[in-house]
Amino acid sequence: MFNQQSSTPQLRDAAGIVLCGGSSIRMGTPKAWLPCGTDTFLQQIVGRLSEAVPQVVVVSSPDQSLPPLDSGVILAHDRNPGPGPLEGLAVGLRSLPEAIETAVVVACDVPLLKPQVVYHLANLLESHDASVPLVDGRPHPLVAVYRCSILKQIEGLLRKDQLSMRTLLSEIDVRYIEGSDLQSIDRDLDS
């Protein structure tokens, strides 16, 4: 599953989607701009995700200001910002080249994502539609790997105004990865 031709191992036929279109009401400031070392949250997560995949898409609200990103990053905008991450996931999947089979989907508020976690989730995907961490009985659908083929199910849920990521997870074949399994590569589950 890895592309050994790059200087660091990257997943073949995979891309990253970073969702940052939320309104950050609880934070009071856009999460994408929060400082993380010398970068912002968004710059940090795009950089870490780029270590694992050759292409990254950032999905934001149409009028959202973003920190500077590498020129190779694809920028996409929610058509309808209200539906939340499910709309962002659909927009991100539509923005990917056809050759891409899987997408590593993360929110922009996980700047400590470890590429090894991405590799692990991707390797455990096998024939499932998604590989999703399950920590303390709670799924984490915004640090997960999805098959691009689930776009039709997502669009169907959006048409029916069923906007919950949990609803999506209940309608696709998900392989849940226990947090204890992830701790062997991310001891504190920073990802």
Side-chain angles (χ1 to χ4, degrees), residues 95-126:
S95 301
L96 296 175
E98 284 187 34
I100 300 297
E101 296 175 5
T102 57
V104 180
V105 177
V106 296
C108 77
D109 59 358
V110 289
L112 301 180
L113 176 73
K114 292 182 175 33
Q116 296 82 0
V117 169
V118 171
Y119 302 145
H120 191 62
L121 291 172
N123 283 330
L124 293 174
L125 182 63
E126 296 174 346

Side-chain angles (χ1 to χ4, degrees), residues 103 105 117 120-122 124-125 128-135 138-147 150 165-166 168-170 172-179 181-182:
V105 177
V117 169
H120 191 62
L121 291 172
L124 293 174
L125 182 63
H128 303 279
D129 293 326
S131 179
V132 178
L134 186 70
V135 179
R138 183 174 161 235
H140 290 268
L142 297 183
V143 179
V145 176
Y146 296 90
R147 291 207 178 281
I150 66 167
M165 289 295 292
R166 287 186 186 228
L168 172 65
L169 296 181
S170 72
I172 62 175
D173 175 23
V174 178
R175 179 171 189 181
Y176 289 102
I177 312 304
E178 292 289 338
D181 181 43
L182 294 171

Side-chain angles (χ1 to χ4, degrees), residues 22 24 26-27 29-35 40-42 64 108-109:
S24 301
R26 288 179 295 189
M27 295 293 291
T29 187
K31 293 177 192 175
W33 285 93
L34 290 173
T40 65
F41 268 31
L42 182 59
Q64 185 175 356
C108 77
D109 59 358

Side-chain angles (χ1 to χ4, degrees), residues 18-25 30-33 42 57-67 74-85 87-89 91-92 108:
V18 181
L19 303 178
C20 68
S23 56
S24 301
I25 294 171
K31 293 177 192 175
W33 285 93
L42 182 59
V57 174
V58 172
V59 181
S60 66
S61 298
D63 57 349
Q64 185 175 356
S65 171
L66 297 176
I74 297 171
L75 299 178
H77 302 289
D78 291 332
R79 293 179 306 177
N80 179 8
E87 168 71 14
L89 178 53
V91 169
C108 77

